[in-house]
Amino acid sequence: MSSPMQPELAIIGTRRQQRFAPVIRRAATYTKEAEVSSILVLTFFAAHVPLAILMSRSSTVATFHVLGTIAVGLWVAVSSEKIERVAYAGAYVTGAEALWRMTQAQSFWEIGKYGVAAVFIVAMIRRRRANPSILPILYFVLLLPSAWLTIRNSSGSEWRQMLSSDLSGPFALLVAACFFSQMTVTREGLVRIFLVLIGPVIGVATVAIFGISTREEITFGLGSNFETSGGFGPNQVSSVLGLGALACFLLLLNKKVNLKLKLLLGGLIIFLSAQSALTFSRGGLYNVAGAIFFASFYVLRDARTRLRFVVAVVVVVGVSYFLVFPRLDAFTNGTLSTRFESTDTTGRDSIAMMDLDIWSKNPVLGVGPGKATEQRRQMGFEVSAHTEFTRLLAEHGTLGLVALLIFLASIAHNLIKAKSAQQKALVVALSSWSVLYMLGAGMRLVAPSFMFGLAFACFVLERDGNTPSPRIDEKGEPLRRLRRPELRLPQSPRINRQST
């Protein structure tokens, strides 16, 4: 008899599980879980080094990579019975979006956001998922009324670009949250999601370091450096590299990751963090540090992860501070330390104050998505929004404020839904990284949408804890325990002594 298989990702819920059990059993797919091979992971990571170099040399190769990735993701969403593969496809697009922009792939700018949304929507339609979380739906619906202002006050097709730029991020967040809110992610499934995401992030780091090595001279100043960011926006490159480092760190706390893989991940944390620092955009490292700090309040409560967390922090911080950072500072002639010692917000506080001023003049619906940039131009500061939360107020007015409150309420909802300290730590890490990213870079990438949506999943991380994984058969049906036949010995008839 074959052994029962365990789910990597299954469609269950908390209160929904009993009400929609028939739908769950029809839609869920399962695969036998096995320990991730270190050799396979190393091969996957290493393959992105020459691939990224080829993409940086040829925009045609980069374009084919975009089209191939999206096509494979949609094919998996349509044909695969293993729902976890859809999550892997979304994770890969999330890690690759900045790589596509760096290598000037011939695709529209928001392909990452729409790609993730399309893959998840197709998967949900195919599996007839009709019970998403209501909070992300309310969050996005509240942002729609002000779109009419953009359409009415824009000339030609200009409004399409404005709506796409400012609403594609919230739309991707909505879809990702709905997709993951109906799923359970096990420990092994989480490992694979993060590993798939890290692969293209290594490609981003490769393009950046390849650009550094091929330049004869690099000028270091106190601002973000395009030369050390692969010729692309340092803010986005730094953030993606930081996201890769965070994924590596969270994997170090996972007991399903073997020692060889942990050593590889530890080296990647230092490598990705160093590349993030060289962009001179501080947000990437600050976001990681903040996410780990907030998650530590729950990680340290769990005896099973406390030691791994302390060891990981001590080793990574020690090696980075005493060995890596001094060499990077010397390479940049001391400007790197000066940059990170500075507390200058590079104008983000001024942009936020302008957004609040725009809101005060347009309190109900705001000025419409994308229109705040024009208002700032009239104020003498032509720049796009850097803080998503003040943008909501300026461009969506009071409805944007309500959407922001719902956004924060969803974090509280996910935190309450998580039962164990490990689950809560993961929800806090994912949510706080997304919030910190939006504070400094708006929603320029799909990464905050994907990570925030992932926090809606029901995590099953403790096999020996209070939330065991369900045992199922090959059809995905729950296994029933068979009672073992009891062996009963014949008993001699009782003798009634009174009758004798």
Side-chain angles (χ1 to χ4, degrees):
M1 180 181 293
S2 60
S3 60
M5 294 182 290
Q6 303 292 338
E8 284 187 2
L9 294 171
I11 309 168
I12 67 171
T14 51
R15 297 179 179 177
R16 303 187 185 96
Q17 184 176 2
Q18 295 180 351
R19 292 181 58 191
F20 298 93
V23 178
I24 292 169
R25 287 195 292 268
R26 285 195 304 267
T29 58
Y30 304 90
T31 106
K32 186 176 182 179
E33 297 177 9
E35 189 178 78
V36 177
S37 170
S38 301
I39 297 178
L40 182 61
V41 172
L42 179 60
T43 303
F44 174 69
F45 287 171
H48 284 82
V49 175
L51 175 62
I53 295 176
L54 286 175
M55 292 171 65
S56 65
R57 292 292 186 89
S58 172
S59 61
T60 302
V61 176
T63 303
F64 274 112
H65 187 262
V66 175
L67 298 177
T69 300
I70 300 299
V72 170
L74 292 174
W75 176 76
V76 168
V78 170
S79 61
S80 178
E81 295 297 330
K82 300 178 180 180
I83 187 63
E84 68 273 9
R85 293 182 178 178
V86 180
Y88 302 160
Y92 190 86
V93 174
T94 300
E97 184 182 19
L99 179 61
W100 296 338
R101 294 182 179 180
M102 293 173 70
T103 54
Q104 300 179 355
Q106 301 301 312
S107 60
F108 60 92
W109 194 251
E110 308 295 347
I111 184 66
K113 299 172 187 175
Y114 290 121
V116 170
V119 170
F120 286 172
I121 288 174
V122 170
M124 287 188 288
I125 292 176
R126 181 181 179 273
R127 290 162 179 81
R128 300 179 181 178
R129 299 187 183 182
N131 189 37
S133 175
I134 192 63
L135 291 177
I137 296 177
L138 292 176
Y139 157 77
F140 184 74
V141 167
L142 287 169
L143 304 182
L144 296 179
S146 60
W148 167 246
L149 298 176
T150 301
I151 298 173
R152 187 185 65 181
N153 300 324
S154 301
S155 58
S157 60
E158 184 183 20
W159 61 270
R160 293 191 183 93
Q161 183 178 357
M162 290 184 178
L163 295 183
S164 176
S165 176
D166 284 24
L167 292 182
S168 57
F171 177 70
L173 187 150
L174 160 69
V175 175
C178 290
F179 178 78
F180 283 112
S181 65
Q182 303 176 79
M183 299 178 64
T184 287
V185 179
T186 64
R187 188 185 296 274
E188 292 79 3
L190 186 65
V191 169
R192 288 172 172 82
I193 288 175
F194 284 153
L195 290 177
V196 170
L197 185 148
I198 293 169
V201 174
I202 293 176
V204 173
T206 300
V207 174
I209 198 171
F210 182 74
I212 295 174
S213 62
T214 54
R215 290 184 180 273
E216 296 182 358
E217 184 179 357
I218 300 177
T219 303
F220 294 102
L222 297 181
S224 298
N225 196 311
F226 283 80
E227 295 178 344
T228 57
S229 305
F232 185 64
N235 200 334
Q236 298 180 38
V237 174
S238 172
S239 298
V240 171
L241 293 173
L243 175 60
L246 176 63
C248 292
F249 185 86
L250 294 176
L251 287 177
L252 290 182
L253 305 182
N254 197 312
K255 69 178 183 180
K256 284 295 180 180
V257 178
N258 58 51
L259 180 59
K260 293 181 181 179
L261 188 53
K262 285 183 177 180
L263 293 176
L264 173 62
L265 294 171
L268 281 175
I269 293 176
I270 297 173
F271 170 64
L272 296 176
S273 299
Q275 284 300 125
S276 179
L278 284 176
T279 65
F280 276 62
S281 178
R282 299 163 295 181
L285 292 182
Y286 288 169
N287 296 345
V288 176
I292 294 175
F293 172 77
F294 290 120
S296 66
F297 289 99
Y298 292 99
V299 174
L300 295 177
R301 295 180 184 181
D302 189 272
R304 288 168 292 186
T305 58
R306 186 184 303 129
L307 179 60
R308 289 195 293 267
F309 177 82
V310 173
V311 171
V313 170
V314 170
V315 172
V316 171
V317 173
V319 173
S320 300
Y321 185 79
F322 292 105
L323 297 179
V324 179
F325 187 80
R327 287 169 172 77
L328 295 179
D329 198 35
F331 176 71
T332 60
N333 299 319
T335 54
L336 183 62
S337 58
T338 304
R339 170 64 171 167
F340 277 85
E341 289 172 359
S342 173
T343 58
D344 182 26
T345 62
T346 61
R348 285 177 174 80
D349 54 342
S350 300
I351 299 173
M353 294 303 297
M354 290 181 182
D355 286 342
L356 295 177
D357 184 55
I358 295 172
W359 180 37
S360 66
K361 298 176 182 178
N362 305 271
V364 182
L365 294 178
V367 295
K371 285 297 183 178
T373 302
E374 297 180 0
Q375 296 290 327
R376 298 188 203 98
R377 186 186 302 118
Q378 298 174 4
M379 298 178 182
F381 200 5
E382 184 176 358
V383 65
S384 58
H386 280 66
T387 301
E388 175 67 12
F389 308 117
T390 57
R391 185 201 70 81
L392 290 176
L393 301 178
E395 297 185 350
H396 301 276
T398 304
L399 294 181
L401 175 61
V402 179
L404 175 57
L405 295 176
I406 293 176
F407 176 88
L408 298 176
S410 64
I411 298 178
H413 167 75
N414 293 333
L415 190 59
I416 294 172
K417 184 179 68 174
K419 301 304 179 182
S420 68
Q422 291 186 47
Q423 294 171 354
K424 291 181 182 296
L426 185 57
V427 170
V428 169
L430 298 174
S431 302
S432 59
W433 185 89
S434 302
V435 170
L436 292 172
Y437 179 94
M438 294 179 195
L439 280 173
M443 300 188 76
R444 286 172 169 77
L445 295 171
V446 72
S449 301
F450 178 86
M451 297 296 280
F452 194 84
L454 182 58
F456 277 78
C458 179
F459 296 103
V460 179
L461 306 178
E462 304 83 7
R463 284 296 176 81
D464 53 346
N466 297 325
T467 334
S469 297
R471 297 169 63 86
I472 48 86
D473 59 15
E474 296 179 356
K475 297 181 180 180
E477 298 290 339
L479 283 174
R480 297 180 180 179
R481 291 187 176 181
L482 298 178
R483 294 183 179 181
R484 296 181 178 179
E486 298 180 0
L487 180 61
R488 295 184 178 182
L489 297 176
Q491 298 180 358
S492 58
R494 294 182 177 179
I495 301 175
N496 192 342
R497 295 187 178 180
Q498 294 181 355
S499 61
T500 59

